[in-house]
Amino acid sequence: MRAWNRFVMHTTFDSWLVGLSVTIAVFVAYTAFRLAARVVDEGRPLRRFWTFGGACVLGIGIWSMHFIGMLAMAMPIQLHYDVPLTLLSLLVAILTSWGAIRIAATGRLSLRRLMFGALVMGGGIGAMHYLGMAAIDITPAIRYRPALLAASILFSILTSGLALHLTFQPRRDPTAHPLARLAGAVLMGLGISGTHYLGIAAAHFAPGAVSRGGLVLNSFWCAATIALAAGSVLACTLISDLYTAELAARTRAHASRLRQINAQLRHQALHDALTGLPNHTAFLGRLEAALKDARAGLGPFAVLALDLDRFKLINDSLGHSAGDELLREVARRLRVAVRAGDTVARMSGDEFLVLVRHVRSPAEAGRVAESISAALSKPLRLQTLEVLVSTSIGISLHPGDADTQETLLAHADEAMYSAKRRGGRSWQCFAADMNGFTQERLCLESDLHRALERGQFELHYQPRVEVTSGRVSSVEALLRWRHPERGYLPPLTFIPIAEETGLILPIGAWVLEEACRQARLWQNDGLLMRVAVNLSALQFRESGLLQTIAAALDAHQLAPKLLELEITESAVMTDAQSSVAILERLSRMGVLVSVDDFGTGYSNMSYLRRFPIDRLKIDASFVREMNDDPQTGLIVHAIISLAHNLHMKVIAEGVETPLQLARLAALGCDQYQGYLFGRPASAAVIEPKLRAHAALSTVDSAATSTRLRRPAWGGPLLASNDD
Ligand code: C2E
Ligand code: MG
Ligand code: MG
């Protein structure tokens, strides 16, 4: 035992106990911070639990440290402690730790928050210490040297701030050193014990002072305090480990469910539900592969476009189920009629495409068309009737007629229409003089170049409705081209051209700017509406995207929360790695992001977890089939629960009937959009409807123009994320 003289009353320190008290403080800080870090990584339901657990360990630790520190001090008299005050000091330590962890771990640790957290933690440690000292029943009372007392509190606040910074800042910055958390805990432990010993140094025990009444700290209490500290650390480590195991099991289950949905979606994405044939997307994939092979010298091929003659008549007179039956039989016959390496796909309705490999001449392709026609023309029994089916077939050849996907398909279509015009029941190879589509497209392209400067674009808006309340808090902006000769053109007729030519960038910038302008106008008129803007894949990847968005927001002084970006699933999932970075930048800007046409791509669903996305928009094709096809219903259900698990909202697109809405409501879908509530219309036309159903107006909200909520710990107002 080493002793040294410091106080007026002769006091010595047991250096073993001093060392033990510091070690306990460090251990406890490390365990508590590790536990609190869970608060950051964990979803909402368990946050409270981890905050509370961390607060208990840290609080008990600070408190134990204090009493072991007191025991380390040997004085000529025995100190007696007032029990209620001592227990109160424990409560203060726990409450302090709880407050500090909440502040540091449940939001972005800005400088203000950090300072606030340091004040709470540092002040609380000081308060606990001096309350613990006040619990000593001694006469005359302890006096304190003001300078040392102030130094102990200041030290406590500074070390707390630094420790919170080291521990809770790294999560925002993945490059930060992994030892930062450990260093933070060591610093916190040193801070707690430093405060204690500075506080002791500040205390002045008068010689001849008498302590009586209350509880005496003897070796029993020493052991009990150490046991309490060690026990709480152990208990928390145990709970934390058990939980980690449980979490791992949950993640495994989740991953296998994701794989299952993934496979289902992939199948659904590549196949036609009615006939089981590959669909349009799958066909494009095979066509691309065939083009690649052909360019590598592995043989020419032909694309056949088929359209049944008079199918509509059969469908209308015999009913849909007979029509479906017929399509299934046609699909079966087509599959039999072609060779194993060829592809038959169903586009839509009664349109099919066939990819025939190794076809060298129009005559060879004609022979394939003949055999298909022959297979289809055999009588077919539908219910009690015998039906005769015939078909019109258009053929385009690679490399003779075209050498890109689009032109091959367009030419096959062109030839098919030509065969139809000649009365059907025939096939036709593409010929240059049929080239109407390409000309029309060329025309459109040159018009499109001038459309922006001539002010021919307009935005229409479609409300998005809260399923439960029927209120509207956002609209989707949909682009319209007022063509001088052709009238209003829907985006699908010109956006692909705009994307191919790069014109989508200036057009997209105009859309952003116009949408922000409209949102601002509405806001000025007391109507708070978030506007969702569609971004094309090209815009999403373009390096100037953030500046364009910032400029649009800035020009109209619009809060970022009032702008939402819709990005299609395929755009986000292509190069998912770099998408994560772009999405993170957008989310940091404060604009909302949703994934459009969800379910139509080939999503690697495990990526969804990593995307900072606010909502998923279920594609209209699912909504349309949901009530007829049980499989689709299941997928919609799976998407909704998956999104909710990942804390995302779900919007259903293309809702046209009350029945669809009822089903979506039953499945817990958050919002919907569709003709049932309203078609897209110009701002002037839609405004009265928005006003009648608006969820919020500027009158309801604070001056910041976004809905605000106060966080539970009473910090500054935060903009709300939900609609
Ligand atoms: P989207 O973003 O999935 O938009 C939904 C489409 O569904 C819109 O078609 C809308 O008019 C239509 N719709 C809404 N409710 C119903 C319904 O109940 N039934 C049916 N059958 N359809 C409904 P629209 O306006 O023709 O737009 C088509 C696509 O064009 C959009 O699909 C979007 O991908 C794209 N688009 C529209 N505006 C823009 C734009 O400003 N920029 C870009 N890059 N793309 C745009
Ligand atoms: Mg959209
Ligand atoms: Mg969509």
Side-chain angles (χ1 to χ4, degrees), residues 551-699:
L553 288 171
D554 216 45
H556 302 287
Q557 291 295 301
L558 196 71
K561 293 266 167 209
L562 286 185
L563 180 64
E564 180 172 328
L565 304 171
E566 289 192 6
I567 304 159
T568 60
E569 180 188 22
S570 55
V572 188
M573 291 296 174
T574 316
D575 191 3
Q577 201 76 38
S578 76
S579 295
V580 174
I582 303 175
L583 291 171
E584 269 171 0
R585 261 176 264 146
L586 290 173
S587 131
R588 236 174 282 141
M589 245 183 130
V591 294
L592 273 74
V593 176
S594 49
V595 176
D596 207 350
D597 306 341
F598 189 78
T600 58
Y602 323 69
S603 284
N604 177 351
M605 306 279 272
S606 357
Y607 257 106
L608 268 188
R609 273 175 169 280
R610 300 186 39 201
F611 290 149
I613 287 169
D614 302 283
R615 61 200 72 211
L616 298 182
K617 296 190 74 177
I618 298 185
D619 190 65
S621 59
F622 290 91
V623 174
R624 207 163 30 238
E625 284 165 24
M626 184 178 57
N627 283 329
D628 301 329
D629 175 27
Q631 191 67 14
T632 308
L634 284 179
I635 290 183
V636 171
H637 189 176
I639 293 178
I640 293 176
S641 53
L642 174 71
H644 286 170
N645 260 325
L646 298 174
H647 308 297
M648 295 175 187
K649 301 219 160 178
V650 182
I651 305 185
E653 297 188 273
V655 177
E656 293 182 350
T657 67
L659 203 65
Q660 290 166 343
L661 179 58
R663 181 76 189 282
L664 288 163
L667 293 178
C669 184
D670 304 287
Q671 293 170 331
Y672 75 97
Q673 210 180 320
Y675 295 167
L676 177 62
F677 185 84
R679 290 179 180 250
S682 67
V685 171
I686 205 88
E687 187 176 322
K689 191 157 192 171
L690 293 182
R691 231 173 249 294
H693 295 271
L696 276 180
S697 73
T698 38
V699 186

Side-chain angles (χ1 to χ4, degrees), residues 359-648:
V359 173
R360 256 155 266 279
S361 65
E364 239 180 280
R367 275 196 292 278
V368 178
E370 288 287 352
S371 69
I372 287 178
S373 294
L376 294 186
S377 62
K378 289 194 192 101
L380 187 153
R381 184 159 277 286
L382 280 184
Q383 292 150 10
T384 55
L385 286 174
E386 196 152 87
V387 186
L388 283 179
V389 183
S390 72
T391 170
S392 303
I393 304 177
I395 302 170
S396 71
L397 291 159
H398 176 83
D401 296 331
D403 69 347
T404 65
Q405 270 194 7
E406 298 87 59
T407 42
L408 272 165
L409 291 175
H411 288 175
D413 259 355
E414 197 71 28
M416 186 269 291
Y417 283 120
S418 163
K420 262 227 152 100
R421 276 197 296 275
R422 293 186 356 203
R425 195 182 288 274
S426 69
W427 57 269
Q428 165 102 47
C429 283
F430 173 76
D433 55 13
M434 298 169 183
N435 205 345
F437 169 79
T438 321
Q439 262 163 25
E440 169 174 327
R441 200 204 122 120
L442 268 180
C443 253
L444 217 55
E445 191 178 315
S446 76
D447 290 349
L448 195 57
H449 273 282
R450 286 183 294 267
L452 198 54
E453 65 198 49
R454 297 195 176 164
Q456 292 170 353
F457 287 120
E458 244 175 54
L459 287 187
H460 279 189
Y461 298 89
Q462 187 178 37
R464 298 148 126 208
V465 193
E466 210 71 45
V467 170
T468 44
S469 65
R471 311 309 296 174
V472 176
S473 53
S474 61
V475 290
E476 176 172 7
L478 292 157
L479 186 59
R480 300 290 179 259
W481 179 8
R482 211 170 352 88
H483 192 282
E485 287 121 42
R486 299 164 190 240
Y488 273 117
L489 291 182
L492 293 183
T493 57
F494 62 87
I495 285 208
I497 304 179
E499 277 171 342
E500 255 170 63
T501 52
L503 280 170
I504 193 69
L505 294 180
I507 296 177
W510 178 86
V511 172
L512 272 166
E513 150 90 27
E514 173 64 14
C516 290
R517 190 184 70 85
Q518 187 58 55
R520 179 80 242 179
L521 280 181
W522 278 329
Q523 190 180 341
N524 289 348
D525 289 346
L527 189 60
L528 207 56
M529 267 305 140
R530 176 185 308 134
V531 181
V533 168
N534 291 284
L535 284 194
S536 97
L538 204 67
Q539 277 175 287
F540 180 60
R541 303 266 164 213
E542 194 242 340
S543 59
L545 175 66
L546 262 80
Q547 284 97 302
T548 311
I549 296 171
L553 288 171
D554 216 45
H556 302 287
Q557 291 295 301
L558 196 71
K561 293 266 167 209
L562 286 185
L563 180 64
E564 180 172 328
L565 304 171
E566 289 192 6
I567 304 159
T568 60
E569 180 188 22
S570 55
V572 188
M573 291 296 174
T574 316
D575 191 3
Q577 201 76 38
S578 76
S579 295
V580 174
I582 303 175
L583 291 171
E584 269 171 0
R585 261 176 264 146
L586 290 173
S587 131
R588 236 174 282 141
M589 245 183 130
V591 294
L592 273 74
V593 176
S594 49
V595 176
D596 207 350
D597 306 341
F598 189 78
T600 58
Y602 323 69
S603 284
N604 177 351
M605 306 279 272
S606 357
Y607 257 106
L608 268 188
R609 273 175 169 280
R610 300 186 39 201
F611 290 149
I613 287 169
D614 302 283
R615 61 200 72 211
L616 298 182
K617 296 190 74 177
I618 298 185
D619 190 65
S621 59
F622 290 91
V623 174
R624 207 163 30 238
E625 284 165 24
M626 184 178 57
N627 283 329
D628 301 329
D629 175 27
Q631 191 67 14
T632 308
L634 284 179
I635 290 183
V636 171
H637 189 176
I639 293 178
I640 293 176
S641 53
L642 174 71
H644 286 170
N645 260 325
L646 298 174
H647 308 297
M648 295 175 187

Side-chain angles (χ1 to χ4, degrees), residues 6-7 129-130 133 142-153 194-205:
R6 291 228 19 204
F7 305 106
H129 174 83
Y130 290 104
M133 294 296 282
I142 305 171
R143 282 187 293 119
Y144 291 96
R145 289 162 237 233
L148 273 175
L149 186 139
S152 72
I153 303 269
T195 306
H196 173 84
Y197 289 107
L198 273 172
I200 292 291
H204 177 284
F205 295 85

Side-chain angles (χ1 to χ4, degrees), residues 68-305:
I68 297 168
M70 294 308 288
L71 280 158
M73 190 168 77
M75 297 174 80
I77 58 164
Q78 239 175 2
L79 296 179
H80 292 241
Y81 288 83
D82 177 64
V83 174
L85 263 184
T86 306
L87 289 179
L88 185 64
S89 70
L90 173 61
L91 190 66
V92 167
I94 291 177
L95 281 179
T96 296
S97 309
W98 181 79
I101 290 174
R102 284 224 53 168
I103 293 162
T106 50
R108 209 178 60 76
L109 193 53
S110 61
L111 185 63
R112 259 182 58 195
R113 270 180 95 110
L114 177 67
M115 277 163 50
F116 187 45
L119 270 179
V120 170
M121 185 78 203
I125 292 174
M128 186 264 128
H129 174 83
Y130 290 104
L131 201 61
M133 294 296 282
I136 300 174
D137 268 332
I138 191 165
T139 11
I142 305 171
R143 282 187 293 119
Y144 291 96
R145 289 162 237 233
L148 273 175
L149 186 139
S152 72
I153 303 269
L154 201 65
F155 179 77
S156 175
I157 291 173
L158 281 179
T159 45
S160 299
L162 212 55
L164 290 178
H165 172 75
L166 279 174
T167 310
F168 293 101
Q169 205 57 273
R171 71 172 189 269
R172 297 278 156 204
D173 174 11
T175 59
H177 200 281
L179 284 180
R181 273 188 187 174
L182 180 65
V186 171
L187 194 68
M188 190 70 252
L190 293 178
I192 296 167
S193 31
T195 306
H196 173 84
Y197 289 107
L198 273 172
I200 292 291
H204 177 284
F205 295 85
V210 194
S211 177
R212 61 166 64 90
L215 196 71
V216 176
L217 283 191
N218 53 23
S219 51
F220 167 76
W221 287 111
C222 173
T225 315
I226 294 170
L228 186 63
S232 72
V233 168
L234 278 180
C236 280
T237 312
L238 195 67
I239 292 173
S240 169
D241 286 352
L242 282 178
Y243 180 73
T244 308
E246 149 81 15
L247 198 68
R250 264 208 328 227
T251 310
R252 274 196 301 279
H254 206 68
S256 101
R257 177 107 186 88
L258 279 180
R259 271 196 300 280
Q260 209 181 326
I261 298 177
N262 220 358
Q264 261 177 21
L265 279 178
R266 181 180 288 266
H267 185 87
Q268 178 120 349
L270 295 177
H271 290 86
D272 166 50
L274 179 68
T275 61
L277 287 177
N279 65 10
H280 190 229
T281 316
F283 186 83
L284 289 183
R286 310 253 177 111
L287 185 53
E288 191 58 53
L291 270 170
K292 225 192 234 153
D293 288 353
R295 284 175 193 143
L298 293 177
F301 62 89
V303 173
L304 275 61

